[in-house]
Amino acid sequence: MSWILWLVAACLLGVGEMHQGGFYLAPFALGAALAALVSLLGVGAPLAAIVFLACSGIVFATLRPVARRHRRIPPAIRTGAAALVGRKAIVLERIANEEGVGCVKIDGEVWTARSYDEDEVIDAGEHVEVVEIRGATALVMH
């Protein structure tokens, strides 16, 4: 009959882990489930408690550090046009927003360009920095 209590404890700890998500309760849920299995086989309550403590301790000690490493989120990797933000470019054609002209070369690719500052005119041959990409147009500034 004690196996039912262990099984209930395993379920409650498992549900608690799903809501909490820090991998604190999962080892104890696994230990309680194993204790329920051992108790179902007919061993005494003290041995089931020892199985619970041993299993929970071992799983907690071995898997918790692994779970913590996997929870750390690496920095976002910028790809595509977003990867061009912050890059240096050279002005190939004079950039004048009011005239709607301008292009730059960024990493060997030619892009339509506009000045980030609406009133700024940037002459050909100058070096600029890409501030933003809007569609197929690079917004640049000195």
Side-chain angles (χ1 to χ4, degrees):
M1 190 66 155
S2 65
W3 68 273
I4 294 174
L5 296 175
W6 284 115
L7 191 58
V8 168
C11 290
L12 290 174
L13 288 165
V15 168
E17 175 62 34
M18 285 189 283
H19 290 292
Q20 188 262 345
F23 204 71
Y24 290 108
L25 300 176
F28 299 105
L30 185 60
L34 195 55
L37 182 65
V38 168
S39 183
L40 185 62
L41 294 176
V43 299
L47 185 57
I50 290 171
V51 167
F52 168 73
L53 293 173
C55 178
S56 297
I58 291 170
V59 171
F60 192 83
T62 57
L63 294 183
R64 173 94 173 113
V66 174
R68 289 186 72 207
R69 278 194 301 269
H70 286 287
R71 287 192 51 145
R72 290 194 186 110
I73 299 172
I77 298 173
R78 294 186 307 168
T79 60
L84 298 176
V85 174
R87 296 277 176 101
K88 300 295 181 193
I90 187 161
V91 179
L92 298 177
E93 178 186 327
R94 183 171 147 293
I95 299 172
N97 290 8
E98 61 192 31
E99 298 170 24
V101 296
C103 67
V104 294
K105 185 181 256 186
I106 310 167
D107 290 341
E109 295 181 351
V110 177
W111 283 75
T112 302
R114 298 292 178 262
S115 174
Y116 190 72
D117 178 12
E118 287 292 325
D119 299 325
E120 184 179 21
V121 175
I122 305 171
D123 292 320
E126 292 192 44
H127 292 275
V128 292
E129 181 178 342
V130 178
V131 178
E132 183 180 341
I133 300 290
R134 286 190 193 153
T137 302
L139 298 178
V140 298
M141 65 185 299
H142 276 108

